[in-house]
Amino acid sequence: MRYTLRHVEVFLAVAKEESISRAAEALSMSQSATSAAMQEFESRYGIQLFDRNAKRLHLNSFGHTIRAKAQGLMAHAQDFDRELKKQEESGHLKVGASYIIGNYLAFKYLAAYMQQHPSAEVKMAVSNTPDIVAQVLNFEVDVGLIEAELHHEDLHLQLWREDKMCAFCSPNHPLANKQGLSDEDILSSDWIVREAESGHRQTFDRAMQGVLPSLNIALELSHNEAIKNAVKAGLGLGFLSEIAVADEIAQGALVPLPLEGRSVRRNFYIVTHKQSPEKQAVRRWIALCKEA
């Protein structure tokens, strides 16, 4: 073989950081040694893995092709090293969760996991569904919990659990006493919803089939709390997971509005990278989530 594990390690660091200097810092190497290792790796095979400009390095198409394989190779090498040292996996885990799951569900699973594995180092990233998917693809998290179905050749998607959405308004809104929203009510209202690529928005668009092109979307906001506050201020109707508005509805700060004859159910999913090596910690986490 013309490459070493150091070559692969340097390649993956540069691919992630898009910078020789930042990769060198991450690897605790000198910048010159990192640059030399990267150049040697490419020259040994007569290939180019990055498009270079004055400030950043970007993976070219071939670089993208081999990155997942390089990540898998490095992960297997690390697993082999642990086996040689007879070290049991401690349960270290990196989880990504979309906003609703991260803010309202995931921490109870996190508490249970850490109780079962007190020595484990567990990190959780909370963002929107597209960001979590990107982190899984980039090997930045081991497993993602997301709010939308997706299809990607590099990802494995598992159905997790069902979620129910609801429309809602402030107690002072003219529609607050309605037993259900008709199409006329829906079309006459201002709506405050999540951004276009979010799992919430996908469900909202499906629920509004037949009237979607004529809806008045007054605001698109990327955070659930912002939507709830805007609705409380009387700026329009909102549409979020029942999990996110349960407390406010119980307290009377928000009023649920049933959508007559419209589907407001969706599914949550567990997503992993197909090229990631099997980790006992990931299997334990998924089993915990599904059992709960």
Side-chain angles (χ1 to χ4, degrees):
M1 292 184 294
R2 302 176 193 174
Y3 71 87
T4 65
L5 287 179
R6 173 60 84 181
H7 288 137
V8 177
E9 186 178 32
V10 169
F11 163 65
L12 289 172
V14 175
K16 180 179 180 181
E17 302 293 341
E18 298 185 332
S19 163
I20 291 291
S21 60
R22 289 198 298 271
E25 183 178 355
L27 295 171
S28 299
M29 295 173 59
S30 69
Q31 186 170 337
S32 59
T34 304
S35 179
M38 194 66 252
Q39 292 176 6
E40 183 179 56
F41 185 34
E42 291 179 313
S43 65
R44 286 189 177 185
Y45 289 89
I47 56 175
Q48 184 172 327
L49 300 171
F50 297 89
D51 294 325
R52 294 167 167 82
N53 58 38
K55 295 183 178 180
R56 308 192 81 174
L57 300 176
H58 298 281
L59 283 171
N60 58 27
S61 59
F62 183 65
H64 278 292
T65 298
I66 70 166
R67 183 183 186 182
K69 294 182 179 180
Q71 186 73 44
L73 173 65
M74 183 57 64
H76 283 299
Q78 291 167 347
D79 284 346
F80 182 57
D81 182 62
R82 282 193 291 268
E83 287 293 323
L84 291 175
K85 294 176 181 177
K86 296 183 180 180
Q87 293 180 346
E88 292 185 359
E89 186 178 355
S90 61
H92 296 340
L93 186 67
K94 292 179 289 184
V95 179
S98 57
Y99 284 122
I100 287 292
I101 298 171
N103 291 332
Y104 300 99
L105 291 176
F107 285 101
K108 69 177 182 180
Y109 302 119
L110 183 64
Y113 184 87
M114 294 181 72
Q115 186 176 13
Q116 294 175 9
H117 310 285
S119 64
E121 178 183 339
V122 185
K123 297 181 180 179
M124 180 171 292
V126 180
S127 189
N128 60 27
T129 290
D131 285 347
I132 297 303
V133 170
Q135 290 179 40
V136 175
L137 284 169
N138 204 36
F139 300 99
E140 295 174 17
V141 297
D142 299 310
V143 58
L145 307 175
I146 61 174
E147 303 169 34
E149 185 175 3
L150 60 87
H151 301 280
H152 192 290
E153 61 181 4
D154 293 329
L155 297 178
H156 177 62
L157 197 70
Q158 299 182 55
L159 179 64
W160 177 24
R161 56 176 287 172
E162 188 180 73
D163 181 45
K164 185 178 180 181
M165 311 285 286
C166 74
F168 56 92
C169 67
S170 73
N172 300 320
H173 193 279
L175 297 177
N177 295 321
K178 295 281 290 189
Q179 298 302 308
L181 297 186
S182 64
D183 285 358
E184 183 179 354
D185 296 327
I186 291 171
L187 290 171
S188 65
S189 301
D190 293 333
W191 287 89
I192 303 166
V193 294
R194 286 286 303 274
E195 70 278 19
E197 294 183 352
S198 68
H200 270 95
R201 186 59 175 274
Q202 290 182 23
T203 308
F204 176 79
D205 289 352
R206 286 196 300 268
M208 295 300 173
Q209 286 183 4
V211 297
L212 185 61
S214 302
L215 283 183
N216 181 21
I217 305 298
L219 288 172
E220 292 182 336
L221 301 174
S222 58
H223 293 283
N224 303 320
E225 293 302 316
I227 291 176
K228 290 190 285 186
N229 288 332
V231 172
K232 291 175 186 177
L235 297 180
L237 308 186
F239 186 85
L240 290 174
S241 168
E242 285 188 346
I243 297 171
V245 294
D247 289 344
E248 288 84 354
I249 289 175
Q251 296 162 7
L254 294 172
V255 177
L257 297 170
L259 295 173
E260 296 177 350
R262 296 187 177 277
S263 174
V264 292
R265 295 186 182 275
R266 62 173 181 168
N267 293 314
F268 290 157
Y269 297 89
I270 299 171
V271 61
T272 53
H273 201 299
K274 291 181 179 178
Q275 297 296 328
S276 291
E278 290 191 14
K279 289 183 64 175
Q280 189 174 5
V282 173
R283 292 196 297 271
R284 290 170 179 168
W285 174 263
I286 293 174
L288 179 64
C289 290
K290 290 189 172 183
E291 287 170 5

